[in-house]
Each structure stands twice: as C-alpha cells, then as structure tokens.
Amino acid sequence: MSETDSTPQFLKAPEVLRNPNPRAPLAAILKISTDRPVRVMVRMTDGTRDTRVEWPAESVEGERILPLVGMKPDRLYLLHLRVVDGAGKARDFGPIEYRTPPVPAGQSNFPRFHLVRSVPGRIEGGITIFTVRRRLQGRGIYMTPKQRDFMTKWSMLVGIDPDGEVVWTYKADARIAGIEILPNGNIFYHSVAFRSVEIDMLGNEVRAFYASRRPQGPAKNSIPVEIGR
C-alpha cells in the first residue's frame, strides 16, 4: 500500500449545511464520513479572520454530524478541513463555501450592539454568552396581556467572540433568568416559565425539567420536579 493510500479516506464528500434548528441560525453542521476514527479540524475564514475548531477522535469510523460555531452573520466563509488518524496520517479537503444567514430584522427581534473597546489579550478565549431580554416602559400591572407576553415569552442567548462580534444566537420562548456552561459543552438555563433546559450548541433540547406545580401546568417533553411547600 502506498503512503497516499494509507491516509484517512473520505467515504463521501464532506458537506456544510444550514442548521435545521431555526433557534440557533448562526450554527452550521458539518457532515463527514471517514473510513476510520479521526480527529477533525476545520479552519473557517471570511477573508479577514480565521477561526479554528477541532473535535477529538471517536471510537468508530463512519458518518459524523458535528456542530460548527463561531461564524459571523451574513458572511461568505471558506472552510478548510483536515482529518488526522491515530497514526498521525492526515487528509485535507476543501475549501467548502458557506454563507451565514443575517441576524433577524428589527430591534425588537435582535438587539443593537455597539463595541466601545475590546482588548482580546485580556479576554478569556472562546465565546462569551449572555442573555438578552425585552422590556417595555411602564409598570407590569398596567400592561395588557399582549405587552406582558412581549416581555416574558421571548428571550435570546447571544455569543460574542473576543472582538465583541456576534457569532452565535439562540431564541427561547420564555425569558431566561440564568445560564451555565456544563462540562460537556452544553448550556443549561432557567426561564420564568418555571423550566430548566439543557441545550446543545445547535439549539437542540437535550433534557428539560419543570416545577411540578407551575401555573402553566405540565411542560411537554420535560421532567417534573417536586418543589417543597
């Protein structure tokens, strides 16, 4: 067998596709299929800055669906792939063109950001995630049901890179009260709907819990939690 033949092989051409979950539109998915377990590395460039992501080897070969996070909205990216097997043999693929979608139109659907100052060397690497809420002027007791729904039945998680630019978003159906990044890389958040939800970076619910005596009643596809009186 030649040196070339001993490198990892793609069983079919890798693809980069739009995330099918509209809650996290800036995330994309990489579909890749190899003849052996490999580490996967992707370099994503928009012509001004490169972003690199990497996944460790898995125990089985075949098709893998991997989340791609870190791309800015409404940009054309070129993605360069490299896979490396356990013996250190590598194979490259690309570039693959992928255009990210724009952020939602309207200030009530997406907040305006203004970067005052960024010092990347003093910022922890990776993506910083925070909560965005909507608020109307006036006291809640004087608001109409539609106005209260506008505030409480919407929330957004926004991820920014060290330059302060948006690279990830997630839209929820209820105001989020707190978030935590779990050791597995997923996000755990609480909402005013008396639910606690774990999601992955594609916005998919992994598991959810709800207060058993919440005013809204049982929550679909969620685990009830008994709260002491």
Side-chain angles (χ1 to χ4, degrees):
M1 181 179 291
S2 69
E3 181 66 22
T4 301
D5 292 336
S6 68
T7 60
Q9 302 293 311
F10 293 107
L11 301 180
K12 56 184 178 181
E15 295 181 277
V16 178
L17 304 171
R18 183 76 60 89
N19 180 14
N21 187 343
R23 292 188 181 275
L26 286 182
I29 60 173
L30 169 64
K31 293 181 68 174
I32 188 169
S33 182
T34 57
D35 64 348
R36 70 196 70 176
V38 291
R39 287 186 296 121
V40 181
M41 292 160 278
V42 179
R43 178 169 62 88
M44 307 179 291
T45 180
D46 64 355
T48 59
R49 181 178 290 275
D50 288 0
T51 302
R52 299 171 186 268
V53 293
E54 180 176 344
W55 296 268
E58 293 189 352
S59 58
V60 294
E61 67 277 3
E63 186 172 86
R64 303 166 69 181
I65 296 179
L66 304 170
L68 284 172
V69 176
M71 293 183 283
K72 300 166 189 175
D74 201 18
R75 304 280 183 95
L76 178 64
Y77 278 84
L78 297 179
L79 294 92
H80 301 264
L81 283 61
R82 168 165 286 194
V83 296
V84 183
D85 66 15
K89 298 185 182 299
R91 180 171 289 274
D92 297 326
F93 186 89
I96 302 172
E97 287 191 355
Y98 179 78
R99 177 170 287 277
T100 54
V103 297
Q107 190 172 353
S108 64
N109 295 314
F110 192 82
R112 294 177 183 173
F113 290 95
H114 176 63
L115 179 63
V116 176
R117 183 172 180 234
S118 175
V119 186
R122 301 183 63 183
I123 301 173
E124 185 174 354
I127 298 173
T128 300
I129 297 176
F130 55 88
T131 306
V132 176
R133 304 175 179 181
R134 295 196 295 209
R135 176 71 183 174
L136 294 173
Q137 296 294 325
R139 299 181 63 185
I141 59 173
Y142 300 124
M143 291 181 181
T144 66
K146 188 174 181 179
Q147 289 174 321
R148 285 193 290 271
D149 287 350
F150 177 83
M151 293 194 303
T152 62
K153 292 187 176 181
W154 184 95
S155 193
M156 182 173 283
L157 298 179
V158 175
I160 59 174
D161 66 10
D163 294 322
E165 296 199 54
V166 175
V167 294
W168 182 83
T169 63
Y170 168 82
K171 188 175 78 69
D173 292 331
R175 178 182 290 181
I176 294 174
I179 62 174
E180 183 73 26
I181 307 299
L182 301 178
N184 63 4
N186 289 343
I187 296 172
F188 191 70
Y189 71 80
H190 308 285
S191 79
V192 295
F194 302 96
R195 290 183 78 225
S196 297
V197 183
E198 178 184 349
I199 60 170
D200 61 21
M201 294 304 291
L202 294 175
N204 301 315
E205 286 195 9
V206 177
R207 59 182 60 84
F209 309 86
Y210 70 94
S212 60
R213 292 192 291 274
R214 73 177 196 151
Q216 300 92 330
K220 186 178 179 180
N221 300 324
S222 302
I223 301 168
V225 177
E226 185 68 25
I227 306 297
R229 294 182 183 276

